[in-house]
Amino acid sequence: MALSKVGLVDVIAITGETALAIQPAAADEILVNDGGTIKRMDVSHIFNTPSFDVRLTSNQTIANNTFTKLAFATETVDSDGKFASNKFTPTIAGYYFLTYSIYYDVVDDNELLSLKVYKNGSGDNAAERNNFATGTNNDIMTWGTYLIYLDTDDYIELYTKQTSGGNATAYTGNTTFSGFRVLGI
Amino acid sequence: MVDNLHYKVKKYLEANSKTESELYSNKIELQDDGSGGYIETWNVDGLAKPNDSQLNALASNATKDLNNAVIRKTRKTGYGTIGDQLDLLYKDMLADKGDKTGEWFKKIKAVKDANTKE
C-alpha cells in the first residue's frame, strides 16, 4: 500500500491547491520528512546560491609576465550581493563550482596565457589553467572549471598572466568569471 | 596601473650575470593586484631581491626593451608565415633573384625599415 500520509499531511490536500507556476521565492517553504519528523524549510536551502557571473566593464591592459587581478565590475548575476570589489565572498561554507575564461590576440610561438584562481590572496596552483599559442598573434583562449571549498570568510579572485613580451588586452566580451554553490556534498 | 616590471627585473638580472629565463621559471613571480606590479616571489640563487629604487633606476633601458619587444612582434606579423616566405623565396630562385633584388628581401627590408628598433 502506497504511503499517502506522513503524520497529518495528506497528498490529496496538496494536489488540490493552486500550483506555484514560477520559481519559489527564497523564503517560500516546503515540508520535509526529517528522519520521521515533519519540518518546514525555506527553499533557499536548496538553491545553488550564492552564485555570481561577472564581466569586465572595460578592456583591461595586462602587463607582460605578471599575474594581474582582473577587475570585474559588471555583475550579470550576483544572487546574494556577495560579489564586490573584484572578489566573491560567499559567507556560506560549502563547495563552489567555478568557471572562468579569457582570450588574447597577441600571443604566439609557445607564449603562455594563463588564468589562476586566488583564494584569500594566494594563488591556488590547482586552479591554474594554461594555454600556449602556436602561430603568429593567435586568437587564443584559455578556460577552466574548478571545485573549491570556501568557508564563511574565504574569498576568491581571478588573476591572469600572458607572456607576449608586451602589454596585452583582456577584452570585456571574452573575459568571464562565474560560480555557484554545489549542494549535497 | 600597469608598469614595466618584467623588463626592469630582466635588466636587474642581466646586470648581475643572470638571464631573463629566471623570469619564466618558478623562481620569480610578478603580481599586480590593481595598484601596480610587485615581486610576489623571489628565489634566485645568489641574488637578492631588488628594491623599488634599484628597479626604477633601470626604467629607461627597461622601456627600451619593452618597445623593442613590441616592434619584434609587429615585424613578425609583417613578415608573414614561414610558408609564405618560403614560397616567395622559391619564386625568387626561379627568377634568378636569390639576392637583394628578390621579392622576399624587399618585403623583409620594408618591414624592418618601417619598424625600427630603439
Side-chain angles (χ1 to χ4, degrees):
Chain A
M1 178 179 175
L3 179 65
S4 62
K5 290 185 178 181
V6 179
L8 297 175
V9 178
D10 189 326
V11 294
I12 296 173
I14 296 175
T15 55
E17 296 300 323
T18 302
L20 177 63
I22 59 172
Q23 177 177 300
D28 284 355
E29 295 178 321
I30 57 175
L31 296 177
V32 296
N33 178 353
D34 181 24
T37 302
I38 290 289
K39 292 182 179 176
R40 61 189 175 87
M41 180 183 77
D42 284 0
V43 293
S44 63
H45 291 295
I46 54 173
F47 281 179
N48 289 109
T49 55
S51 61
F52 70 97
D53 181 60
V54 290
R55 302 284 188 275
L56 301 176
T57 299
S58 56
N59 293 342
Q60 184 174 343
T61 301
I62 309 298
N64 180 56
N65 197 30
T66 304
F67 266 115
T68 303
K69 184 193 298 185
L70 287 160
F72 292 108
T74 297
E75 301 167 356
T76 57
V77 175
D78 186 9
S79 68
D80 297 76
K82 303 297 185 183
F83 196 96
S85 303
N86 309 318
K87 67 177 72 169
F88 178 59
T89 313
T91 71
I92 297 175
Y95 283 93
Y96 289 81
F97 188 80
L98 309 176
T99 62
Y100 38 100
S101 67
I102 198 165
Y103 154 94
Y104 286 114
D105 57 3
V106 295
V107 290
D108 53 25
D109 296 343
N110 288 321
E111 292 166 352
L112 167 78
L113 61 159
S114 180
L115 282 171
K116 187 190 280 192
V117 175
Y118 276 52
K119 180 179 177 181
N120 300 330
S122 298
D124 184 339
N125 289 334
E128 182 174 343
R129 301 289 181 268
N130 297 322
N131 201 354
F132 294 89
T134 52
T136 300
N137 284 347
N138 277 174
D139 293 344
I140 191 167
M141 293 188 73
T142 190
W143 61 89
T145 60
Y146 191 57
L147 187 67
I148 190 170
Y149 181 81
L150 301 173
D151 68 21
T152 55
D153 61 356
D154 286 337
Y155 66 90
I156 52 172
E157 301 157 303
L158 190 64
Y159 281 65
T160 186
K161 182 171 84 171
Q162 54 83 24
T163 61
S164 69
N167 294 337
T169 301
Y171 293 99
T172 55
N174 307 89
T175 308
T176 70
F177 189 25
S178 61
F180 59 86
R181 185 164 62 103
V182 179
L183 303 176
I185 57 174
Chain B
M1 175 187 156
V2 173
D3 57 19
N4 190 18
L5 184 58
H6 173 92
Y7 289 102
K8 287 178 183 173
V9 174
K10 173 179 179 279
K11 286 299 178 190
Y12 176 75
L13 290 167
E14 290 171 350
N16 289 278
S17 305
K18 302 287 185 182
T19 67
E20 188 181 15
S21 63
E22 303 276 3
L23 271 160
Y24 295 107
S25 68
N26 292 327
K27 296 176 182 175
I28 301 174
E29 187 165 294
L30 310 180
Q31 191 166 313
D32 183 348
D33 301 324
S35 302
Y38 63 93
I39 299 171
E40 166 66 15
T41 302
W42 183 273
N43 292 309
V44 179
D45 292 339
L47 183 60
K49 176 180 169 180
N51 57 37
D52 287 352
S53 175
Q54 289 172 300
L55 290 175
N56 287 332
L58 301 164
S60 177
N61 285 332
T63 299
K64 186 184 292 185
D65 271 11
L66 171 63
N67 293 341
N68 284 337
V70 173
I71 289 166
R72 275 196 297 275
K73 181 111 13 198
T74 304
R75 283 182 172 184
K76 189 183 289 184
T77 303
Y79 295 154
T81 67
I82 295 294
D84 286 347
Q85 289 186 58
L86 288 173
D87 187 53
L88 212 52
L89 279 171
Y90 173 76
K91 290 172 180 170
D92 284 345
M93 297 290 180
L94 274 183
D96 290 327
K97 291 184 174 179
D99 54 18
K100 291 182 179 179
T101 63
E103 296 305 313
W104 176 83
F105 179 85
K106 290 177 186 174
K107 178 175 182 178
I108 299 299
K109 186 175 188 312
V111 171
K112 287 181 182 291
D113 290 348
N115 300 280
T116 54
K117 290 185 180 177
E118 293 185 5

